[in-house]
Amino acid sequence: MTRTILANARLILPDAVMPGAVTLQGGTIAAIAPGQGVPPGAIDLAGDFLAPGMVELHTDNLERHMRPRPGVDWPHAGAILAHDAELAACGITTVFDAMRVGSIPNEAPDADYDKYARALAHELAEIRARGVLRISHLLHLRAEICSETLLAELDEFGPGDRVGIISLMDHTPGQRQFRDISKLAQYVQGKYKLGDAEFAAHVARLKALRARHGDAHEAAAVQIAHRLGAVLASHDDTTPEHVATSAGRGVRLAEFPTTPEAAAACHAHGIMVMMGAPNLIRGGSHSGNVPAAELARTGHLDILSSDYVPSALLAGALILARIWDDLPRAMATVTANPAAASGLSDRGRLEAGLRADLIRFSMMDEIPVMRETWVRGRRV
């Protein structure tokens, strides 16, 4: 078995940062040793940080590669490979690729509501089987409650599809993420160039779909998540009542709660809170919801997601390190905590016996500079 020693690094351990070396063998971390020495044959990391590879639970990045412009459907194999390479370059070694399930045939704004997840998951599996992907890919199915075809699309997935997360997405205008409909108008009308009348019709259709299908879709999606063995996530909880409902369904992960009250209620129910790293970096939510930094300061932030900017994940963790004055705690929001939330006990920490998924980075002022990424001990 190939044996690699990464020496003279600043190791980000679960509870400390120390100079040391890590030995990789057979795809796992074989040993961790303190000290700044460089044994014969070791790779000298010259004092750079060495941390666990990052775990991304929610990203729209694959969809961005597939649809680089409204109405443009990029060849999917190329999109998957480019997405995979970009995440590896950003230090993400495990990703739950978010795919929307639940379509609205002939929806007015554009073709973004067409069915695509089942076919794309097949393509991803075929490419994975050919051994050309750099990092580990699992599925995150975003169950759109305001749709016509959710249950039929979910029923196309089985236990062999590596579905790790199912999130309940209720984008009905006027509540949750888009309590302020003007923010929705700004987003939708700006992206799809809709007039006021077209936007009003879009809003009315979504509200009608929620009234017609919402409760049944939510209940069935919860049951399907249990059948697939997937972690159930809520999305955009806004009130303590939303959170209580989520807890009653068995939700373990709250994606982007929109208010401080909802985030606090999540912790009271033992639900981990995930916020967007772009929110942290930009200093606030583009939808006008609670700033991630506010939740960090109150102790109600557990996990970061890159959401729509892969490079934001590491940069966001380092902002948390400055807020908390605690680098190990901050790095856990992108490594150990998302691994634990998604049931992956074999990664996310620098610990002997775990997967040898690691990243090396240095700093340029306060900006991280990614240097190298290893997955199962192989530099990718």
Side-chain angles (χ1 to χ4, degrees), residues 107-109 113 171-174 178 180-207:
E107 167 63 359
Y113 279 97
H171 288 118
T172 308
F178 293 114
D180 182 349
I181 292 185
S182 69
K183 294 289 186 180
L184 178 64
Q186 182 181 356
Y187 174 76
V188 172
Q189 291 186 275
K191 184 174 182 180
Y192 302 120
K193 312 303 179 188
L194 300 185
D196 291 343
E198 293 171 303
F199 174 72
H202 173 66
V203 167
R205 186 170 189 187
L206 290 180
K207 287 184 174 182

Side-chain angles (χ1 to χ4, degrees), residues 47-353:
D48 287 347
F49 288 104
L50 189 66
M54 294 186 290
V55 179
E56 173 57 75
L57 301 186
H58 175 119
T59 174
D60 303 331
N61 197 57
L62 178 53
E63 291 183 348
R64 182 176 64 83
H65 279 280
M66 290 168 48
R67 298 274 177 89
R69 293 287 187 275
V72 174
D73 186 22
W74 200 256
H76 291 180
I80 291 167
L81 292 172
H83 160 67
D84 174 71
E86 181 180 4
L87 297 193
C90 292
I92 296 167
T93 54
T94 299
V95 62
F96 287 75
D97 289 313
M99 300 181 185
R100 192 203 73 248
V101 284
S103 305
I104 308 176
N106 304 312
E107 167 63 359
D110 82 332
D112 280 0
Y113 279 97
D114 287 349
K115 174 183 172 180
Y116 73 90
R118 177 65 273 175
L120 180 61
H122 276 312
E123 291 174 292
L124 178 61
E126 289 171 358
I127 291 174
R128 183 193 304 114
R130 299 179 73 169
V132 297
L133 295 177
R134 293 167 171 81
I135 71 172
S136 179
H137 291 256
L138 298 98
L139 299 187
H140 173 167
L141 298 182
R142 298 162 47 105
E144 286 289 353
I145 302 305
C146 295
S147 69
E148 297 175 1
T149 64
L150 174 61
L151 302 188
E153 292 187 40
L154 279 174
D155 279 338
E156 293 181 320
F157 289 87
D161 284 311
R162 293 166 61 107
V163 178
I165 300 171
I166 291 180
S167 55
L168 303 175
M169 301 274 174
D170 186 349
H171 288 118
T172 308
Q175 52 92 60
R176 295 183 181 262
Q177 181 180 5
F178 293 114
R179 286 177 295 161
D180 182 349
I181 292 185
S182 69
K183 294 289 186 180
L184 178 64
Q186 182 181 356
Y187 174 76
V188 172
Q189 291 186 275
K191 184 174 182 180
Y192 302 120
K193 312 303 179 188
L194 300 185
D196 291 343
E198 293 171 303
F199 174 72
H202 173 66
V203 167
R205 186 170 189 187
L206 290 180
K207 287 184 174 182
L209 285 170
R210 179 63 177 87
R212 189 160 65 248
H213 299 299
D215 291 345
H217 279 183
E218 287 180 344
V222 170
Q223 293 304 311
I224 291 170
H226 293 323
R227 173 173 63 80
L228 295 178
V231 170
L232 191 65
S234 64
H235 193 75
D236 298 329
D237 285 336
T238 300
T239 67
E241 291 76 20
H242 285 160
V243 177
T245 299
S246 296
R249 292 178 175 138
V251 163
R252 290 167 43 189
L253 172 67
E255 299 186 314
F256 320 130
T258 66
T259 64
E261 296 78 15
C266 286
H267 274 202
H269 284 282
I271 298 171
M272 298 184 82
V273 171
M274 181 167 74
M275 294 296 287
N279 177 324
L280 195 61
I281 291 167
R282 296 177 63 251
S285 162
H286 73 276
S287 300
N289 297 317
V290 65
E294 179 179 336
L295 298 188
R297 293 188 177 96
T298 59
H300 294 139
L301 190 158
D302 305 297
I303 297 170
L304 284 182
S305 161
S306 69
D307 201 2
Y308 55 95
V309 183
S311 63
L313 200 56
L314 182 56
L318 295 177
I319 290 175
L320 289 180
R322 295 194 289 274
I323 291 174
W324 290 332
D325 191 25
D326 189 336
L327 181 56
R329 178 187 176 190
M331 285 301 298
T333 67
V334 296
T335 57
N337 293 355
S342 57
L344 299 177
S345 60
D346 63 344
R347 68 198 76 184
R349 305 182 306 280
L350 285 189
E351 184 178 304

Side-chain angles (χ1 to χ4, degrees), residues 32 62 82 152 180 215 353 355 358 374:
I32 298 173
L62 178 53
D180 182 349
D215 291 345
R355 277 174 56 125
L358 303 105
W374 292 264

